[in-house]
Amino acid sequence: MNVLLAVTILSAIAGYTGIASTELKDVTEGKPAYQAGIRPGDEIIEVNGEKVNFFVEARNLIMMSEDTVELVVRRGNQKVYATIPVELSEDGYPIIGIEAVVTKNPL
């Protein structure tokens, strides 16, 4: 019963707020990802050798990185490989300057 309740609540939250895809909406100019050649519209497929299906997975792997992030993105029909140095946010977390496209639930 508790599992059903948890699934229902999480589904409602995802439906209301949307789900962050692996497609990049924004890459902040001047930040490490931009300087490494990553651009809006790129789709993240691997972070540090781990395949990702959702942006939250990519974000978590980036946040566990110490010095650099190995990123593989899909740009059209090509794979683009980048080694990106991390920068620390004001809170001390590793960031590279990317934002994902959020897809809304059509229901």
Side-chain angles (χ1 to χ4, degrees):
M1 185 68 172
N2 288 339
V3 172
L4 180 59
L5 179 60
V7 168
T8 302
I9 291 171
L10 290 174
S11 296
I13 291 170
Y16 179 74
T17 61
I19 297 172
S21 71
T22 57
E23 181 182 347
L24 297 178
K25 173 183 174 183
D26 187 38
V27 181
T28 306
E29 197 169 329
K31 293 292 184 186
Y34 187 89
Q35 293 173 343
I38 304 302
R39 296 294 180 261
D42 288 350
E43 180 185 353
I44 301 172
I45 53 179
E46 285 184 27
V47 177
N48 295 334
E50 303 260 346
K51 292 190 184 297
V52 295
N53 296 305
F54 300 100
F55 187 75
V56 68
E57 296 169 318
R59 184 195 66 205
N60 290 342
L61 290 166
I62 291 166
M63 290 180 71
M64 292 187 312
S65 300
E66 292 183 15
D67 298 318
T68 60
V69 173
E70 298 291 328
L71 205 64
V72 181
V73 300
R74 182 175 294 117
R75 182 178 297 156
N77 296 352
Q78 299 179 337
K79 286 184 179 179
V80 176
Y81 298 82
T83 300
I84 305 170
V86 298
E87 182 177 288
L88 295 182
S89 70
E90 292 176 1
D91 298 330
Y93 295 107
I95 60 169
I96 58 174
I98 58 175
E99 180 183 343
V101 170
V102 175
T103 56
K104 298 285 185 182
N105 186 339
L107 298 177

